Each structure stands twice: as C-alpha cells, then as structure tokens.
Amino acid sequence: MPEPVDTPGSVWRAPGMAALLATSALGFAGFALLLPTAPLWARQVGADEGGAGLVNAVLMCATVLVQSITPWALRTVGWRVTLSIGMVLLGLPSLLFVFTDALWGILAISALRGAGFAALTVCGASAVAHLVPSTHRGRAVGVYGLSIAVPQFLLTPTSAWIAQSVDFRLVFVLGCLPVLAVPFALVLGARIDRHVDDDDGAEGSGSGGRRAYLALALPALVLLAITTPGGAIISFAPQLGFASLAVVLSLFGLTGVAAFSRWIAGGLADHYGPHRFIAPLLLTGAVGLVLVAWAVTDPDGSAVLLVAGTMIVGIAYGSLQNLTLVISFAAVPTRMRDVASTTWNIGFDTGTGLGSLVVGFIAAGTSFAVGFSVTASFCVVVAALYLIRLGLLRRRALDQPPAF
C-alpha cells in the first residue's frame, strides 16, 4: 500500500479514521472494564495475590502469542475478517465470567479475550500508518491514543467500584461492548483491504529485514519498561489497602494524565523528533513509582501520595506509548508497517502482563512496595541503555565520511 496522500486538514478527518476511532473506543471499553475487575473476581472466588495476578498475565500472554501471527492473518484472510473476529472474541466471552467461579475457568476466558485483543491492537496501531502520511503520524497516533485512553480513563477506575458496589454481572455484560464495533471494523477493514498490494505483505527478508527487527527492539524495550508498572497499578490498585475514593482517584489520575500526555506527545514528536524525550520520561516514571511504593507502605495516611505518584507515572505511561510507536514506524520500510505494529504491541502487552504477574508474585512473597520499587529500577536501567544507544548512534554518524 503506498504512502497515504498528504492532504490538508485535521487528521481527525482522514478517510477511514472515524471507523478506526469507533472500533478502538468500543474495543478498549470492553478491555478496560475487565482489566481490574477480572483479577478482583478471582480474589472474590478465593484466589490469592498470585492467582489474581495470573488473570491478566494469561490475558496478555494469549495476546502476545496471537499478535505474533496477526500479520499472517491479515495477509491470508484480510483485514475485515481478522478484525471482526477479534472484536467478537474480545467481547462475547465476557458473559462467560457469570457462569464460573473457578480460577481455571477465569484464566481460560481471559485467554480467549486475549486472542481478540491481539487483533484489535495490531490492526489499530497499523491502521494509523495505513491511513495517515508520515508527516502527520505523531498527531495521528495521538488521536488514536485518545480513542484508546478515554475509555480507559472513564471505565478502568469505575469498573471495580461498579462490581463491588452494584454487581459483577453488570460489568461482565458491559464487557461485551467490543461486539458493537464489528460494523465499524468491517468498514475500516474494507478500506484497507482495497488498497493493500502484494508488497505490503513482504515483511522483509535478508539483512534488511534483520536490521529492521533489531531497530524495533529498543522502542519495544522502552515500552516494556513503562507498561510493566502501568499494568501493575491498574491490576492491583483495588488491592493496595486504600479507601475506594483513593483507588478511583489514583486510576483516574493514571489514565487521565496518560490520555492527555499521549495526545500532546504526538505534536512534540512531529516537531522535535521523539528520541530526546525517551530517557527523561522513563526517569519521570521511576520517580512516580517511588512515590507509589512509598504510599503503599502506609495506606491509611498516604492517599495523596498515591494519587500524585500515579499521575506522574501517567505522564510517562501515555507519552512513551506515542513516542515508541512513532519510532517503530520510522525504523522500518513501508512494507513492514504491520510488523512494526505487532512488535510495538508485543512490547506493550508483555509489559502489562508482566506487571500483573511479576508484581503480584513479588507482593505475595514480600510486599507491593517492593514490587513497585523493582519496576522503578527497571525504568532507570532502560533509560541508561537508551542514552548509551543514542550516544553510539551519534558517534557513528560523526564518524561517517561526508558525502560529495
């Protein structure tokens, strides 16, 4: 598929963007509703912190496994079929939670939903590159990010409260919202299917393909570093011992600031380039995580510290999602856009799953404070690696002989 035409006007009005935004919003609404609620349901039926952590870990493990074959599915059966089936798998199994109170059943349902989430994430991020030219990609990623972040902002903090104060079954029924995205997925898929040519499926081979995969590894690592604590906060905020109001405000703080930051970061990436912001944002995230860890040591008196920490983490959590996706698309040739999207999403979802699994098991053995401190250290280490890598690239560029 050739580079989209650079037409004047807002990226909101680019052909196909409305269908993409509707599909993403409905899909992520179903995802956000159950991200904190499914682990809470596992605790409700008798699982410990480790068992509850397995719920979202299995969800993300299934997501990552299916993401790895999604580019093949797009080439084989097309966008319409792949994305529509994904929406059904993400939404419809939510009803099955009503009929099981066993951990193995909750994990099996989570795996089904993870397969659907894989299609949504790979197709959604890749569609941005298919619909919008590279000169506007940062802003387009920001707009796409809003369609993801707004449902998370509204539903992630409130879903656990609805489940505990009203009824878990209401959340499980609302978790079917992705099914309503099927008509929009068909429209979006039809538009992209009409324009994809044979070269779009050539994912790169030989040394060029290998170099592209290596170039995608570093932004995926950055994303892994910030989504690991983000996933842990979302999964375990209701279990940290704080009052309900503090939990809701902290999740609003994380998701709300992340939504705004992801949108703002798009314009900054288009104007100044994304690389200069990566390390400072990772260190910002580490500072926020230290505050969260500190707050967890005294839940009775540190609610303000918890909310402040999650808001600071939200700055890095949202901004780095945008910047790493822009870097990933710029690192590969046009024919590898779906691969770039897949790699980025694997980094995102691996981090979310690891946050649930690793922090859950650390907490089971020690405390949540130790778990969040470990993720803060991870952010610092990756920031240092990124700075070293940038330094090596700049030195290599200076050593190149001038072109005549």
Side-chain angles (χ1 to χ4, degrees):
M1 182 175 178
E3 178 78 359
V5 178
D6 190 355
T7 55
S10 169
V11 294
W12 294 84
R13 296 193 295 271
M17 279 296 288
L20 169 62
L21 298 180
T23 302
S24 300
L26 288 166
F28 273 86
F31 174 75
L33 279 160
L34 293 179
L35 197 60
T37 307
L40 197 60
W41 178 245
R43 291 299 305 273
Q44 185 86 359
V45 300
D48 63 7
E49 290 90 344
L54 278 174
V55 175
N56 284 343
V58 167
L59 172 76
M60 290 302 124
C61 182
T63 298
V64 169
L65 289 174
V66 177
Q67 280 170 340
S68 65
I69 64 170
T70 300
W72 169 84
L74 291 174
R75 295 193 309 272
T76 305
V77 299
W79 276 71
R80 283 173 292 184
V81 174
T82 302
L83 188 52
S84 299
I85 291 176
M87 293 301 94
V88 173
L89 286 176
L90 177 58
L92 204 56
S94 175
L95 291 176
L96 299 178
F97 282 116
V98 176
F99 303 105
T100 182
D101 57 1
L103 180 60
W104 69 266
I106 295 171
L107 297 180
I109 296 166
S110 297
L112 279 175
R113 296 183 63 248
F117 190 58
L120 171 63
T121 52
V122 171
C123 292
S126 182
V128 174
H130 283 290
L131 299 175
V132 180
S134 57
T135 53
H136 294 68
R137 197 159 286 158
R139 279 166 285 179
V141 170
V143 170
Y144 167 68
L146 282 178
S147 72
I148 293 172
V150 169
Q152 292 179 301
F153 170 67
L154 295 174
L155 299 175
T156 301
T158 56
S159 60
W161 177 85
I162 293 171
Q164 293 177 309
S165 302
V166 183
D167 198 316
F168 276 91
R169 288 173 293 185
L170 176 59
V171 178
F172 297 151
V173 171
L174 291 174
C176 294
L177 281 172
V179 177
L180 300 181
V182 170
F184 301 106
L186 290 171
V187 171
L188 174 64
R191 176 169 184 83
I192 296 178
D193 278 335
R194 281 197 302 268
H195 296 91
V196 172
D197 56 30
D198 292 336
D199 287 338
D200 202 42
E203 294 183 6
S205 57
S207 61
R210 286 191 293 273
R211 284 195 300 269
Y213 281 109
L214 289 173
L216 293 172
L218 191 55
L221 179 63
V222 171
L223 194 62
L224 179 72
I226 196 61
T227 53
T228 296
I233 291 171
I234 292 171
S235 293
F236 294 115
Q239 304 172 41
L240 296 179
F242 291 88
S244 297
L245 179 61
V247 171
V248 171
L249 289 177
S250 65
L251 290 174
F252 269 127
L254 174 70
T255 56
V257 171
F260 182 75
S261 298
R262 188 167 182 172
W263 179 48
I264 293 296
L268 294 174
D270 285 343
H271 284 289
Y272 301 107
H275 294 285
R276 67 181 67 191
F277 302 107
I278 300 294
L281 284 166
L282 283 169
L283 296 177
T284 299
V287 170
L289 289 166
V290 169
L291 293 180
V292 171
W294 187 4
V296 169
T297 61
D298 181 22
D300 293 330
S302 301
V304 173
L305 202 60
L306 175 72
V307 174
T310 55
M311 291 178 70
I312 293 171
V313 173
I315 295 171
Y317 186 67
S319 299
L320 288 172
Q321 289 175 43
N322 185 312
L323 299 176
T324 52
L325 184 56
V326 172
I327 291 170
S328 297
F329 283 138
V332 299
T334 297
R335 68 180 185 275
M336 295 184 68
R337 285 177 293 202
D338 294 344
V339 176
S341 172
T342 299
T343 305
W344 182 88
N345 277 289
I346 287 174
F348 184 99
D349 297 323
T350 300
T352 303
L354 279 177
S356 179
L357 182 65
V358 174
V359 174
F361 277 104
I362 290 175
T366 55
S367 68
F368 279 113
V370 174
F372 287 120
S373 297
V374 169
T375 62
S377 300
F378 186 30
C379 286
V380 173
V381 170
V382 174
L385 290 174
Y386 201 87
L387 289 173
I388 292 169
R389 176 62 175 164
L390 279 186
L392 291 174
L393 290 175
R394 287 168 181 162
R395 185 177 303 172
R396 187 178 303 166
L398 290 174
D399 290 341
Q400 293 294 326
F404 294 99

